[in-house]
């Protein structure tokens, strides 16, 4: 087994490889195998684990991702701080294609996904009032000052089941609620990290304007969102994304002391 690794990056759609000269570690968990072998390397002087959420060849649809195995495997490696990346669609005019968002709230619209490590008489009721690590979000926001990017310090994402994209009616509804972004994978990953008492922050990259773009976002020339379009948008900015990842890793402290580390205190039944 490799030396303990304290920091992890979880990559989303299009983000299947990040670390160069990495050591691959295959792990098994009580919840099966993670999406892919976990790559470990040194970035900015720190040991970092990288896990592609959908597998290395987009092997898992959003509802099929082994979220519990992924988070459990990272915990096994000694990870305490996680920065997760997602591609998202915008629902509001101030959130533009190419912007980044440090998400702070989610609305869950998924169904049937295993979303807890607890069951039966071994239970816990974690707080989800502020589901993303505030300390890590603040650290990330400071690290990205001066980066070649527009970074929104907060945003609410509505997480849909997928694999289909939204109808126009759904997109209009999401926007009318004041939600900022739409995505298929942020839930249950964020709450599973909290159950494992991991610090978890999310940096979302806006690749499109969902399907009601002309009406909601004001982009008359915007195309209806497609998977191919999302991949092309991400690929076009891949170097900028990698620069941002390196900035985040460099800014992350070795110590991860905050309330996330005691999320289960008083929560167990």
């Amino acid at each position: 087994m490799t030396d303990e690794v304290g920091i992890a990056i979880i990559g989303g759609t299009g983000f299947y490889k990040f670390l160069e000269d990495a050591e691959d570690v295959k792990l098994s968990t009580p919840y099966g195998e993670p999406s892919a072998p976990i790559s470990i390397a040194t970035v900015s002087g720190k040991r970092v684990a990288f896990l592609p959420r959908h597998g290395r060849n987009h092997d898992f649809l959003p509802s099929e991702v082994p979220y519990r195995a992924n988070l459990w495997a990272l915990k096994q490696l000694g990870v305490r701080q996680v920065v997760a990346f997602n591609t998202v669609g915008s629902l509001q005019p101030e959130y533009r294609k190419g912007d980044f968002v440090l998400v702070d709230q989610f609305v869950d619209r998924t169904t049937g996904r295993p979303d807890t490590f607890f069951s039966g008489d071994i239970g816990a009721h974690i707080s989800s009032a502020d589901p993303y690590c505030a300390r890590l979000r603040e650290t990330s926001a400071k690290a990205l000052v001066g980066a070649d990017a527009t970074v929104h310090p907060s945003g609410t994402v509505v997480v849909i089941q997928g694999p289909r994209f939204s109808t126009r009616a759904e997109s209009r509804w999401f926007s009318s609620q004041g939600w900022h972004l739409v995505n298929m994978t942020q839930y249950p990953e964020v709450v599973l990290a909290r159950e494992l008492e991991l610090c978890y922050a999310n940096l979302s990259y806006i690749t499109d304007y969902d399907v009601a773009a002309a009406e909601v976002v004001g982009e008359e020339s915007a195309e209806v969102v497609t998977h191919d379009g999302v991949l092309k948008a991400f690929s076009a900015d891949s170097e900028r994304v990698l620069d941002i990842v390196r900035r985040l890793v460099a800014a992350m402290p070795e110590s991860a002391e905050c309330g996330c580390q005691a999320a289960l205190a008083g929560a167990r039944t």
Side-chain angles (χ1 to χ4, degrees):
M1 177 64 69
T2 186
D3 294 337
E4 187 171 283
V5 181
I7 297 171
I9 302 293
I10 300 178
T13 297
F15 204 153
Y16 306 132
K17 184 173 176 59
F18 163 56
L19 301 176
E20 300 294 337
D21 301 321
E23 169 194 359
D24 282 350
V25 178
K26 292 186 177 181
L27 296 173
S28 60
T29 79
Y31 307 95
E33 295 183 354
S35 298
I38 298 172
S39 301
I40 300 174
T42 300
V43 179
S44 301
K46 298 171 184 174
R47 297 287 283 170
V48 176
F50 174 72
L51 177 62
R53 183 183 291 111
H54 295 276
R56 292 184 175 174
N57 298 293
H58 206 281
D59 307 296
F60 300 97
L61 292 173
S63 61
E64 299 171 338
V65 171
Y67 296 100
R68 291 190 296 180
N70 286 351
L71 272 299
W72 192 275
L74 294 177
K75 179 83 170 184
Q76 279 184 292
L77 285 174
V79 166
R80 298 182 68 193
Q81 302 181 92
V82 178
V83 176
F85 283 78
N86 289 88
T87 54
V88 297
S90 172
L91 297 167
Q92 303 296 338
E94 65 270 27
Y95 288 73
R96 313 302 294 177
K97 183 176 178 179
D99 290 357
F100 291 84
V101 186
L102 285 161
V103 173
D104 66 327
Q105 289 288 316
F106 71 81
V107 176
D108 174 30
R109 296 284 301 167
T110 67
T111 59
R113 300 184 184 187
D115 59 358
T116 181
F117 291 107
F118 298 99
S119 64
D121 62 350
I122 304 175
H125 301 280
I126 60 165
S127 171
S128 295
D130 299 295
Y132 300 86
C133 176
R135 177 195 59 82
L136 198 50
R137 286 181 54 248
E138 182 180 0
T139 297
S140 299
K142 290 178 179 178
L144 297 181
V145 172
D148 180 22
T150 296
V151 181
H152 299 267
S154 63
T156 296
V157 62
V158 53
V159 188
I160 62 175
Q161 178 70 2
R164 69 172 179 85
F165 291 108
S166 305
T167 66
R168 294 186 189 278
E170 289 169 331
S171 190
R172 293 186 197 113
W173 175 47
F174 299 156
S175 178
S176 72
Q177 297 302 305
W179 304 331
H180 305 103
L181 310 165
V182 60
N183 169 258
M184 298 179 188
T185 53
Q186 289 200 42
Y187 189 87
E189 192 172 271
V190 56
V191 295
L192 292 172
R194 179 61 57 85
E195 286 192 348
L196 291 178
E197 299 184 317
L198 301 175
C199 292
Y200 179 100
N202 175 274
L203 186 65
S204 287
Y205 177 66
I206 300 175
T207 57
D208 61 86
Y209 295 110
D210 206 40
V211 294
E215 306 159 61
V216 176
V217 183
E219 286 284 336
E220 298 296 336
S221 61
E223 298 179 356
V224 170
V225 58
T226 65
H227 181 69
D228 184 57
V230 169
L231 290 176
K232 287 180 178 177
F234 184 89
S235 177
D237 263 351
S238 59
E239 286 304 315
R240 190 163 66 115
V241 172
L242 293 178
D243 173 65
I244 283 175
V245 173
R246 294 186 184 102
R247 285 173 178 264
L248 293 180
V249 171
M252 293 174 74
E254 297 291 344
S255 173
E257 300 303 325
C258 70
C260 299
Q261 309 297 314
L264 295 179
R268 295 183 184 274
T269 57

